[in-house]
Amino acid sequence: MSAISLRNVRRAYGDAFALDDVTFTADAGQVLALLGSSGSGKSTILRLIAGLEPVDAGEIRVEGELASRPGWSTPAEARRIGMVFQDYALFPHLTAAANVAFGLQNTTRAERESTALAWLDRVGLGMRSNAYPHELSGGEQQRVALARALAPAPRAILLDEPFSGLDPVLRAELRDATLTTLAETKTTTLFVTHDAEDALQAAEKLVILKAGRVLQEAAPREAYDRPASIEVAAALGPINLSEGRVEGGVVNTPFGPAPAQHLTNGASARIAVRAEAIRLSPGAGARVLSVRPHGAHDLVKIEAGGAIWRALVPPRTTLGETASVTLHSDGVFAFSA
Amino acid sequence: MALDASSALAEASTPLVRNAHRLDGDVFTMLAAIAAALCATPAIAVFALSLRPGEATAFGGALLRDGAFGTLALTLLGGGGALVLGATAACLVSLCRFPGRRVFEWLLVVPLAAPSYILAYAYGAATWAGAAPLAVQGFWGAAFVYAIGLYPYVYIAMLAAFSSQYSCALEAARTLGARPLDVFWRVALPLARPGLAAGGALAMMEIAADYGAAHHFGVTTLSTAVFRAWYAHGDLRGALQIASILLLAALVFLWFERRARGRAAYVGRSTRLSAPNRYILNPTASVGAFLFCASLILFGAILPLAWLARLALLHGNVEDIAGPLANSLILASAGALGTLALASVIAVIGRRGGALGRSASYAAGLGYAVPGAVIAMGALGAFTLLREAGIVGGLSSGIALSALLWAYAARFSAAGVQPIDAGLSRLAKGLDDSARTLGAGAWRRFTRIDLPISAPSLAAATLILFVEILKELPATLILRPFDFDTLAVRAYSYASDERLLEAAAPALLIFAAGLAPIVLLARGIARLRAGERHP
């Protein structure tokens, strides 16, 4: 049974659709990432699932039970869905421990306190339990917010851009720590991000959004290797674009033929080539414009027939002024135009 | 002119640049220091002069005791009333949904248009004419007028606290399973507490500073005691001593307000705007909420305004108020422009920070907290010293007017600093720095960047200052030249002579003028909500 399911959900603000016909499911215990640029509606989805806003069409179910449909909505306080807000929304007048204890009800005071402390310990903040939010660093606040959302044992947890305000080193560290905690508790998790790396590394399932619509719902590997559209391919990593006609199962690009067997001969096609699918070797065919280190790879700008592409190649690849180019079929995608 | 020449020189010839730049900075720093001194001097003069040795006065002790008791009782009762009314109204319109809520949201600030003494005259006149539902008089009348007229201070402070900044915390509480009343008691109210305290302190500061209403209702307060010592007993020293006690009380409120506001500042870091989810009230509660808000506006603005209008039409005559109106307009215009100049300098230097910036803002804030009667006594005392030293002659009309303008500037520059500062905050942080890297000195940055960008807020500040000065009573009463009546003074003298019906016309004009800045305020509240995505 799916933990959370959305079916044909629509949400409008005035005349503008924030969400249009959104359908996807998250399985129990799964970590699902909603990936999209700003304005894609991903945060709105979280607010609808949390019950903070009503749906205008469609329905939302939580553990099979109807939570939202037009004109009817289980109140947020009765849903048992935890949420970590983008700016954490910690209660500024309460200590870290009191923040975490806030959602614990129907138990004794002593029990609430010990549960809150246990959660703070778990996120590595046991020593900061008496600190007020403004005394905590950004990363610490994020961890308190996570502990606060998890403490009442919610049926699912929603994270709105959970790592966006943090510097890159802390970000990776916190992402791993957060995922470990979530995996330990086996909590169904939906998180919103505009960062492809976060989504690919952290999620078991991706829902890629654009302008309020779902572009693709798939496992990260599948979405990366078999994107449903150019937009999806571009959302998950740097790509190069080309256009042409299909001839004999291939489309000729300035840098060589791209396989397009699934398209009919003579049809016009759009080609997306992942930067790392470009292999360079000594030879001719393309001019090398620049070579720059780019993390674990070198970023090489190449030019042929007036087109400039970007290639990610193993570092310190020896290149002359020109190079011979081959396109690795794993990272070449053809779509009918 | 000399300044323009120096910057022109600086641009023209490089060797002079460094010198010119220093001059540039020095002039501006000097202006700021003068502005700060002008704001702070009256208050300091009151303290200094009250400590001058002299013979003890027989009545001083009793006046001081009665005044202190009256002020304490009225601030507690009137301020407490304003606190309850304002907080309830703010909670209702911020957290609940009921018919009329959106209109009430901005309409509820309207009672702020009338200063307490005008409300007092309106109720007095209506009681006189038999139109008021119950007799509003004496101590309780004063407390009522303060509560109904000053609750918007609390209301506004709490409205800001409940604005979208907090909706995130309220939502977080809901996702953690908190029910509506839980959300209110455990999150909303604690978050709004600094706003509540700041607004309450502001209302109490106003009550302590008020002279006209307390005088009208015959309550002895520190403010009325200052007047009695000075006018009835001709005792400047006694008046200064009472004024210095009043000043101390005002400083306590100021300190309290600053502290509360400082606490409020770190709260609500959320930058996201989203509509708060308001609770829908059941029909009975909706009617109750509607009636509560409606009666605040009815008794705080509509009824007094209607009574004054009716009585003014029946008993007012044009010749009688033409002179005072002209005097008021002249004085308020001159005062507003002078105060604006002071406020601009203080706002800019305050934003640049540093010790001078902080002390200038503090001096301005101090002036605002000091009751008009105290400021006037301070200005009077300072001029008395100058006369004793032989620097100025007798208190001619010209000198009295300049003392009065000074008192206005010292009292109200903080009211001007606030909107100008808000305008300056729109300046991107890097702007000043980039102007610096482009070689602009302090003066050029002020005239070429700060002033143009804050022009709209300067206009707003001018309006606010104009109306504040038009409404001002006690300082005007003490420092005006002989036979120079303003609207406020004319209304006051009619009311003192128990000619309340004739006081209606000047009171009505002051009330009407007070509505203008309220429109700005209401628009500000509307803008507070404009960022919300959804009703």
Side-chain angles (χ1 to χ4, degrees), chain A residues 59-303:
Chain A
E59 62 172 45
I60 297 175
R61 287 177 181 275
V62 179
E63 291 179 350
E65 181 183 299
L66 187 64
S68 293
R69 64 173 163 73
W72 189 84
S73 172
T74 311
E77 56 267 32
R79 287 201 182 194
R80 291 186 48 228
I81 291 185
M83 183 149 174
V84 176
F85 290 79
Q86 185 169 3
D87 30 34
Y88 316 136
L90 294 180
F91 305 125
H93 61 299
L94 300 179
T95 62
N99 260 285
V100 177
F102 187 92
L104 302 168
Q105 279 160 350
N106 308 322
T107 56
T108 65
R109 191 190 168 86
E111 221 170 304
R112 286 201 296 273
E113 273 170 14
S114 69
T115 311
L117 283 180
W119 271 103
L120 282 175
D121 268 336
R122 195 157 180 174
V123 296
L125 286 174
M127 277 129 61
R128 303 288 277 145
S129 64
N130 284 321
Y132 283 89
H134 68 277
E135 298 165 342
L136 298 170
S137 71
E140 287 173 333
Q141 291 185 16
Q142 200 268 357
R143 284 185 279 163
V144 174
L146 180 69
R148 180 179 73 174
L150 285 172
R155 298 193 288 183
I157 185 165
L158 314 172
L159 301 97
D160 192 357
E161 297 275 6
F163 316 112
S164 66
L166 307 165
D167 66 74
V169 178
L170 187 61
R171 183 190 179 102
E173 210 172 279
L174 200 64
R175 187 177 63 205
D176 292 345
T178 304
L179 288 173
T180 312
T181 310
L182 289 169
E184 282 167 9
T185 54
K186 297 191 178 62
T187 313
T188 308
T189 304
L190 272 73
F191 78 94
V192 150
T193 182
H194 61 263
D195 186 288
E197 193 192 321
D198 276 349
L200 289 168
Q201 297 202 1
E204 295 160 290
K205 188 191 234 184
L206 296 184
V207 173
I208 298 145
L209 294 156
K210 190 182 177 185
R213 287 173 168 278
V214 174
L215 295 178
Q216 190 168 4
E217 175 187 1
R221 178 47 63 197
E222 191 195 335
Y224 196 83
D225 290 345
R226 282 190 289 283
S229 63
I230 296 249
E231 279 109 332
V232 172
L236 294 175
I239 56 167
N240 298 289
L241 292 172
S242 184
E243 284 177 20
R245 269 181 201 293
V246 184
E247 284 162 31
V250 299
V251 176
N252 279 311
T253 75
F255 298 92
Q261 284 90 350
H262 60 291
L263 299 179
T264 47
N265 268 335
S268 62
R270 298 177 72 198
I271 305 293
V273 180
R274 290 220 177 279
E276 74 274 14
I278 299 173
R279 304 288 149 81
L280 301 179
S281 51
R287 270 197 316 136
V288 176
L289 299 180
S290 69
V291 183
R292 295 269 182 277
H294 185 267
H297 290 91
D298 275 0
L299 178 69
V300 183
K301 271 193 205 172
I302 50 175
E303 186 271 339

Side-chain angles (χ1 to χ4, degrees), chain A residues 11-13 43-44 47 50-53 75-77 81-83 85-89 91-93 99 101-103 105 134 141 148-149 152 160, chain B residues 166 168-180 182-183 186-188 190-191 193 266-272 274-275 277 279 533-534:
Chain A
R11 176 75 178 136
Y13 298 117
S43 293
T44 304
R47 296 176 58 79
L52 295 169
E53 284 182 34
E77 56 267 32
I81 291 185
M83 183 149 174
F85 290 79
Q86 185 169 3
D87 30 34
Y88 316 136
F91 305 125
H93 61 299
N99 260 285
F102 187 92
Q105 279 160 350
H134 68 277
Q141 291 185 16
R148 180 179 73 174
D160 192 357
Chain B
Y166 290 124
C168 219
L170 303 186
E171 284 175 354
R174 294 186 64 200
T175 63
L176 292 164
R179 278 179 288 274
D182 270 354
V183 174
R186 296 176 62 196
V187 181
L191 284 182
R193 204 153 44 197
Y266 79 82
V267 172
R269 328 172 3 263
S270 169
T271 48
R272 260 219 355 225
S274 61
N277 281 277
Y279 294 108
R533 290 194 296 178
H534 208 245

